[in-house]
């Protein structure tokens, strides 16, 4: 499966590299996009659930790495108010190369 990463900047300036086993995150996040924490959590839950189901469809089991990543995102998000802003700074492939969406971003 084409795994990828979405790089996140939390409201306090902390950066986090988040894993997805699927490119589906490109449908939920754009490079440079800002989201209230609550919306970021909702989008992360949706994207990682779909990604895990894509793994299940292909291999017969869900992706535990997607579930672990979601747990890490939820734990980090708990430190901020729901209306604080999260920025997705980049979308990259497994080698750190910007995705097509990233290269098109202004």
């Amino acid at each position: 499966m084409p795994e990828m990463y979405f790089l996140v900047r939390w409201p306090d300036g902390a950066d986090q590299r988040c894993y997805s086993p699927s490119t589906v995150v490109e449908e939920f996040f754009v490079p440079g996009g800002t989201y209230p924490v609550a919306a970021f959590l909702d989008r992360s839950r949706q994207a990682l659930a779909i990604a895990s189901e894509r793994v299940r469809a292909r291999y017969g089991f869900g992706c535990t790495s997607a579930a672990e990543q979601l747990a890490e995102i939820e734990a980090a998000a708990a430190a901020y108010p729901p209306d604080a802003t999260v920025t997705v700074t980049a979308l990259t492939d497994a080698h750190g190369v910007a995705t097509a969406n990233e290269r098109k971003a202004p």
Side-chain angles (χ1 to χ4, degrees):
M1 301 231 33
E3 65 184 25
M4 65 182 309
Y5 293 87
F6 50 113
L7 303 154
V8 175
R9 179 156 299 134
W10 291 99
D12 65 358
D15 291 322
Q16 181 177 6
R17 183 176 185 231
C18 301
Y19 170 80
S20 172
S22 166
T23 60
V24 72
V25 295
E26 291 180 307
E27 297 172 24
F28 289 86
F29 301 115
V30 295
T34 59
Y35 310 89
V37 170
F40 176 74
L41 276 173
D42 184 54
R43 288 170 181 257
S44 295
R45 288 178 180 131
Q46 291 179 61
L48 292 171
I50 292 168
S52 184
E53 286 306 310
R54 288 182 178 181
V55 170
R56 183 182 312 284
R58 185 161 186 177
Y59 299 108
F61 52 85
C63 181
T64 58
S65 293
E68 289 170 5
Q69 182 61 75
L70 180 57
E72 289 177 18
I73 290 169
E74 290 175 333
Y80 310 104
D83 61 344
T85 302
V86 176
T87 302
V88 174
T89 58
L91 300 172
T92 67
D93 67 14
H95 305 289
V97 176
T99 65
N101 285 351
E102 172 79 0
R103 290 187 293 269
K104 292 177 189 172

